Every structure is written in structure tokens, then in C-alpha cells.
């Protein structure tokens, strides 16, 4: 199923939805409300450009695109299908639980608004049923249904569901609209949305659905699934952090007396470091803009989000590139890359493999409560490749340290190895968090750790390249203006 995320349309109401859905409700946590009672939601650096481009392809960012509260798509045009379309995590409250009044607002933590409509003028088949199945994350519901999803019958899926609602599209409006209120009193919980055709042939009958879920206890952040809640503040904090540290690094490399001879700002590593800071700050600022828009309609802007992810990819790749190149001694001890062709080919291969594994994980729809990218097969491959890159770095920095005769540069390689090695601990830390945290904490904690380690990595590189251990000297810094002047004089002669 290909689906996009958009704002839902809450205009039409099917009068028969109430009795059908209420009779099929299989969980006391679900309370069907008439639509009238539910408020609608507002809704240069290097001439060998291939070297840097390979890293951009390789370490594609880990931010997902499935954080929207509004999901829209079309159902398969076939007979007897069952599809998963999305999930949403609700918070919980003990206030008002056990009052015995299913229509009372106390204890309600959120809402689900669902609209299904036929896009064809052809009459729907009289036989069979089109049904909505909603599951919670208990082992007897979604976990049980998911294990046998492809082999279970329609009735077995109904038995496992928390809510079953028959979708009657044979009305004059050819649409059905539901309003469901969610009650949670034990813990936060994921809810999973699926559709199934039980004997109804929908061939050549396009049917569109819209699902809009909200966490109504959280005010301005009600559009956020609980596992994404709090990311707005994270991006606000690190947007300011990257701007401040980037400005300090720019001052240290441009305006200090010690940065004038040799001119630090003209060294390739300082320029790459500036790119990393700019792209990191831009990524956080763009994510911030996306989430501010998301707060109003549950959708945000996919264009802004794509630019934010791309900027994060540029930042991560630039950090890895600085680490790999500096560990080989390029632009510090030597002006040439050792075994240049093998070096570039190896980076390209690793980059392509990273791109494949990360994009595979990015494009797959997460149907599991427990699954995180490092827990899948493509995530394991990505993890192995990142460990390989670190081992490659460690081997190169050890070789450069042993071959270097200049004491200051030896200290630089020593602290570079220690610093990047410590920084690389974020990979196993991320994996441990992915396996140990509760699902409603996992995504936002892992994203926060990823941004924090990028921030610390850039601070480390700023200290190494602009501080007292900096290996940058007149011998490995090239004045562009002087180079152009020499070439011009030589040409005249």
C-alpha cells in the first residue's frame, strides 16, 4: 500500500455508524462518540567531489517520515485483502476511570476520526463486508494477530481486534465517518489501524480512507504520537546550541590573532567543519519549522522535513569524512591520499551499502511495537558497516601516529583517536536504548541521543582543529590568493 499523510476531512457523517461500531466494540477502553460531540481538529572543498558525495550517500539519516497523526491512502482494489495502514501512541490517565458512564469525558485521553469514501460511481457489491479493525498492543490483540496475519481468516482477525466496525458505503453519500474516543488507565499504549475485505470484491472500486488521531490531554502537542512528544523542545535546544558553538568556532578560526598566521579558515578541515555546523543548525531549525506546522494540522511539511533530513545527512557525513581523512594524515602530514584509488573505491562501496540498508529501513512500514531500525535485518547490516568504518578509522589513526615524527602532530593523532573512539560509543549506546527502552520512549530518546552525539562530535573537532592541539600550520595551509597570483605570473612569462 502506498499512502501519504494529509489532513483529514471530517465533513460527512454516516448515521448508522453509531449502532454498528458500538455493537462490535471489544474493549472497554474504546468509547464511540457521535460526531456531533467531537470537535474537528485544525487540522572547492575538494576537487574530488566523489569522495564527499559517497559519504553523503552512505550515512543516510535515521529520522523517520511516519510521525504524522493524519494518514490518508487508498485501499487495494482486490478481493479478500487485509492491510495495516498505521499506528499511534496514546498517553494514559487514572482520572475518572471506573465511573461506569461510557459517554463521560473523564478518562478520555484522545480521539480517532476515521472517514472512508468510495471514489467511483459504480455500485458496491451486495455480498461481503468491508471492515475497520483497530488493535491495541496487548499480546492477545495486535501481537497475536500480527504473528498469523497472512494466514488467519477474517473471523480470526475480528476475534483478535479491540474494535471491529463494518463500513457501509452503500449509502447515498457513499461514505462512512466514525468518531472514537480512547480511554487508557494503565500505561501508554500503541493502537494499530487496519482494513479488511471479507468477501467483498473491490476490483475497479477505488476507496479512500482518512485516519486522524490526537492525544487530547496535551494541548498544543495533541497532534503528536506519545513517542514523538517532546521532540519540539529538543530541536529548540539544539538549534540554539549549534548556532552558538558554530559562531564560536567561526570566531576562533577567523578573528583570533592566533588564527591569522597561518589562516585557519582556509584549511580544508576548518571549511568542512563550518559546513557541518551550518548543516546541523539548518537541520534542527527545519525540523523545528516542520513540527510547528505539524502542531496545527497533524501533517507538517514533507518538503521541509526532507530538507531537514538531508541537512542532517550532510552533517553526519561531513563528521565521518573529517575523521577518516584526518586519521590518514591528509592535509596534516601529507598532501596526497595513500592508495587513492583503493581509498575512494572503498568509501564508495561502504557508502552505497549504507545507503541501501538505511533506505530499506526508512521505506518499510513499522508494524511492530518493539521494532526499531537496528533490530531489523537491514539495521543490523547498517550497524556492521558503521563498526567497519570505525575500525578503519582506528587502524589509520594508529598508523599515522606511529609514522609521525613531529611531537605536536603525534599528540593530535593520539587525542583524535581517543576522542573519536569515545564519541563512537554512541552506536552501541543507541542499540542498547533501542532494545531496552519502552516503545513510547524509544524514538524520541534515540533521536535526542543522535543529535547530542553529533553536537559533542562537532565540539570535539572544533577543540582539536582550533585549539592548542591543532596540527594546522603554514606547511599544510594554502593561501588561495597567492596561488592564483603565481599562476598568473607564470602564464605571462
Amino acid at each position: 500500500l502506498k499512502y501519504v499523510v494529509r489532513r483529514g476531512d471530517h465533513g460527512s457523517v454516516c448515521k448508522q455508524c453509531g449502532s454498528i461500531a458500538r455493537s462490535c466494540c471489544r474493549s472497554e477502553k474504546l468509547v464511540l462518540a457521535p460526531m456531533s460531540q467531537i470537535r474537528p481538529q485544525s487540522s572547492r572543498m575538494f576537487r574530488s567531489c566523489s569522495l564527499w558525495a559517497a559519504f553523503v550517500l552512505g550515512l543516510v539519516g535515521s529520522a523517520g517520515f511516519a510521525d504524522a497523526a493524519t494518514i490518508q491512502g487508498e485501499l487495494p482494489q482486490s478481493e479478500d485483502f487485509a492491510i495495516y495502514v498505521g499506528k499511534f501512541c496514546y498517553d494514559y490517565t487514572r482520572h475518572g476511570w471506573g465511573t461506569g458512564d461510557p459517554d463521560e469525558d473523564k478518562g478520555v485521553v484522545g480521539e480517532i476520526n476515521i472517514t472512508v469514501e468510495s471514489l467511483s460511481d459504480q455500485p458496491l457489491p451486495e455480498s461481503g463486508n468491508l471492515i475497520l479493525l483497530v488493535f491495541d498492543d496487548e499480546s492477545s490483540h495486535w501481537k497475536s494477530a500480527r504473528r498469523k496475519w497472512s494466514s488467519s481468516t477474517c473471523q480470526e482477525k475480528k476475534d483478535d481486534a479491540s474494535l471491529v466496525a463494518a463500513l457501509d458505503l452503500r449509502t447515498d453519500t457513499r461514505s462512512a465517518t466514525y468518531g472514537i474516543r480512547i480511554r487508557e488507565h494503565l500505561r501508554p499504549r500503541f493502537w494499530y489501524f487496519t482494513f479488511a475485505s471479507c468477501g467483498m470484491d473491490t476490483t475497479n472500486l477505488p476507496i479512500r480512507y482518512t485516519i486522524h488521531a490526537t492525544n487530547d490531554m496535551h494541548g498544543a502537542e495533541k497532534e503528536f504520537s506519545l513517542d514523538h512528544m517532546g521532540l519540539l523542545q529538543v530541536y529548540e535546544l539544539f538549534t540554539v546550541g549549534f548556532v552558538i558553538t558554530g559562531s564560536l568556532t567561526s570566531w576562533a578560526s577567523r578573528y583570533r590573532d592566533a588564527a591569522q598566521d597561518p589562516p585557519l579558515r582556509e584549511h580544508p578541515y576548518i571549511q568542512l567543519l563550518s559546513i557541518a555546523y551550518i548543516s546541523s543548525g539548518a537541520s534542527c531549525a527545519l525540523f523545528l519549522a516542520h513540527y510547528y506546522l505539524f502542531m496545527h494540522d497533524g501533517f507538517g511539511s514533507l518538503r521541509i522535513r526532507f530538507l531537514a533530513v538531508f541537512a542532517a545527512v550532510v552533517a553526519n557525513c561531513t563528521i565521518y569524512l573529517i575523521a577518516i581523512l584526518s586519521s590518514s594524515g591528509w592535509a596534516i602530514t601529507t598532501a596526497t591520499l595513500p592508495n587513492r584509488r583503493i581509498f575512494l573505491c572503498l568509501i564508495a562501496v561502504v557508502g552505497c551499502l549504507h545507503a541501501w540498508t538505511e533506505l530499506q529501513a526508512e521505506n518499510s512500514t513499522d508494524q511492530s511495537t518493539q521494532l526499531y531500525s537496528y533490530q531489523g535485518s537491514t539495521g543490523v547490516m547498517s550497524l556492521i558497516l558503521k563498526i567497519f568504518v570505525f575500525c578503519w578509522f582506528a587502524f589509520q589513526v594508529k598508523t599515522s601516529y606511529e609514522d609521525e615524527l613531529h611531537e605536536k602532530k603525534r599528540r593530535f593523532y593520539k587525542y583524535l583517536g581517543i576522542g573519536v573512539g569515545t564519541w563512537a560509543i554512541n552506536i552501541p549506546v543507541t542499540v542498547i536504548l533501542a532494545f531496552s527502552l519502552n516503545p513510547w520512549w524509544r524514538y524520541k530518546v534515540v533521536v535526542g541521543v543522535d543529535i547530542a552525539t553529533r553536537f559533542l562530535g562537532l565540539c570535539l573537532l572544533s577543540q582539536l582543529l582550533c585549539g592548542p592541539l591543532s596540527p594546522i600550520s603554514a606547511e599544510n595551509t594554502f593561501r588561495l590568493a597567492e596561488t592564483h597570483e603565481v599562476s598568473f605570473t607564470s602564464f605571462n612569462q
Side-chain angles (χ1 to χ4, degrees):
L1 175 72
K2 294 182 179 179
Y3 63 92
V4 296
V5 186
R6 294 178 181 170
R7 181 177 179 179
D9 179 8
H10 307 285
S12 58
V13 178
C14 175
K15 296 181 180 179
Q16 297 180 353
C17 289
S19 60
I20 296 175
R22 191 182 299 278
S23 64
C24 297
C25 183
R26 297 183 181 275
S27 173
E28 60 181 352
K29 304 181 189 70
L30 291 167
V31 181
L32 190 78
M35 288 298 295
S36 60
Q37 297 181 8
I38 297 182
R39 298 181 302 276
Q41 307 302 326
S42 56
S43 321
R44 138 186 220 87
M45 291 335 305
F46 302 105
R47 294 181 180 178
S48 301
C49 296
S50 59
L51 180 66
W52 185 80
F55 264 79
V56 173
L57 283 174
L59 301 173
V60 177
S62 60
F65 287 92
D67 62 344
T70 305
I71 304 172
Q72 187 181 71
E74 289 190 12
L75 298 178
Q77 298 181 32
S78 62
E79 184 178 3
D80 291 333
F81 64 82
I83 60 166
Y84 161 87
V85 297
K87 66 181 180 181
F88 191 82
C89 186
Y90 285 94
D91 204 350
Y92 78 108
T93 179
R94 295 186 181 277
H95 176 68
W97 182 257
T99 59
D101 185 359
D103 293 325
E104 191 174 347
D105 288 339
K106 293 181 179 180
V108 174
V109 297
E111 300 170 355
I112 307 172
N113 295 318
I114 303 164
T115 300
V116 183
E117 59 180 332
S118 174
L119 304 180
S120 174
D121 294 332
Q122 299 181 25
L124 273 72
E126 295 296 332
S127 61
N129 293 302
L130 181 64
I131 59 174
L132 165 70
L133 301 170
V134 181
F135 300 82
D136 63 32
D137 59 12
E138 292 182 0
S139 57
S140 60
H141 292 160
W142 177 244
K143 295 177 182 179
S144 174
R146 186 170 178 263
R147 284 194 296 265
K148 55 185 179 181
W149 188 258
S150 59
S151 60
S152 60
T153 64
C154 193
Q155 185 59 47
E156 290 173 337
K157 291 181 176 65
K158 290 181 181 181
D159 294 338
D160 290 332
S162 302
L163 169 71
V164 179
L167 305 176
D168 187 6
L169 303 180
R170 302 182 183 94
T171 60
D172 294 338
T173 60
R174 306 180 67 81
S175 65
T177 303
Y178 295 84
I180 303 171
R181 292 186 293 181
I182 302 294
R183 294 189 178 192
E184 292 288 359
H185 73 290
L186 294 177
R187 62 170 176 82
R189 195 181 300 276
F190 277 90
W191 291 85
Y192 300 83
F193 313 121
T194 67
F195 291 94
S197 172
C198 300
M200 175 181 283
D201 187 1
T202 60
T203 304
N204 299 324
L205 290 174
I207 299 175
R208 183 174 60 190
Y209 64 87
T210 300
I211 300 176
H212 185 200
T214 56
N215 263 309
D216 292 342
M217 294 198 309
H218 292 276
E221 290 187 282
K222 65 183 179 181
E223 297 286 348
F224 290 87
S225 178
L226 188 62
D227 58 327
H228 285 72
M229 208 166 289
L231 287 178
L232 191 68
Q233 292 74 23
V234 171
Y235 286 117
E236 287 175 344
L237 174 64
F238 282 103
T239 297
V240 176
F242 281 121
V243 169
I244 292 175
T245 52
S247 299
L248 290 175
T249 301
S250 178
W251 172 82
S253 63
R254 292 174 179 269
Y255 303 110
R256 286 190 310 157
D257 293 339
Q260 304 305 317
D261 190 18
L264 289 180
R265 66 179 181 274
E266 294 183 6
H267 196 276
Y269 290 149
I270 300 300
Q271 295 179 20
L272 280 174
L273 191 59
S274 299
I275 290 177
Y277 271 115
I278 292 172
S279 55
S280 294
S283 174
C284 289
L286 289 169
F287 270 118
L288 197 59
H290 163 73
Y291 279 120
Y292 271 121
L293 294 174
F294 186 89
M295 289 169 57
H296 293 88
D297 59 8
F299 179 64
S301 171
L302 290 185
R303 292 183 179 89
I304 293 177
R305 185 174 176 82
F306 169 78
L307 292 175
V309 172
F310 179 77
V313 170
V314 172
N316 287 329
C317 294
T318 306
I319 293 174
Y320 276 86
L321 186 57
I322 293 174
I324 289 293
L325 290 176
S326 60
S327 68
S328 68
W330 183 83
I332 297 176
T333 304
T334 178
T336 59
L337 284 171
N339 302 313
R340 181 175 179 273
R341 290 187 177 181
I342 298 177
F343 190 92
L344 293 177
C345 289
L346 189 57
I347 287 180
V349 170
V350 172
C352 290
L353 289 174
H354 269 300
W356 181 79
T357 55
E358 296 291 350
L359 289 174
Q360 283 290 104
E362 192 72 31
N363 292 331
S364 60
T365 304
D366 182 0
Q367 300 183 18
S368 171
T369 303
Q370 301 296 330
L371 189 63
Y372 179 68
S373 59
Y374 281 140
Q375 293 174 272
S377 58
T378 56
V380 171
M381 177 62 72
S382 175
L383 178 61
I384 293 173
L385 290 172
K386 289 180 180 179
I387 293 174
F388 169 76
V389 170
F390 171 72
C391 293
W392 183 14
F393 162 83
F395 171 77
Q396 286 197 143
V397 77
K398 179 178 179 295
T399 302
S400 299
Y401 174 80
E402 293 174 347
D403 294 344
E404 181 59 59
L405 300 177
H406 195 281
E407 184 60 30
K408 184 178 181 180
K409 293 179 181 178
R410 284 173 62 88
R411 288 201 305 271
F412 169 79
Y413 288 127
K414 175 182 177 180
Y415 286 106
L416 176 67
I418 294 173
V420 174
T422 304
W423 173 77
I425 294 177
N426 79 87
I427 296 176
V429 167
T430 302
V431 174
I432 292 172
L433 290 174
F435 277 88
S436 60
L437 287 174
N438 288 322
W440 48 88
W441 286 102
R442 182 178 300 131
Y443 181 82
K444 53 189 173 186
V445 172
V446 169
V447 169
V449 170
D450 178 69
I451 300 175
T453 52
R454 190 198 314 159
F455 177 79
L456 293 176
L458 287 175
C459 291
L460 169 68
L461 292 176
S462 294
Q463 177 64 25
L464 288 174
L465 296 173
C466 301
L469 292 175
S470 175
I472 298 175
S473 64
E475 298 175 355
N476 53 33
T477 301
F478 308 97
R479 298 177 182 270
L480 297 178
E482 293 179 1
T483 303
H484 292 169
E485 182 179 353
V486 170
S487 300
F488 181 74
T489 303
S490 177
F491 174 77
N492 286 340
Q493 291 175 352

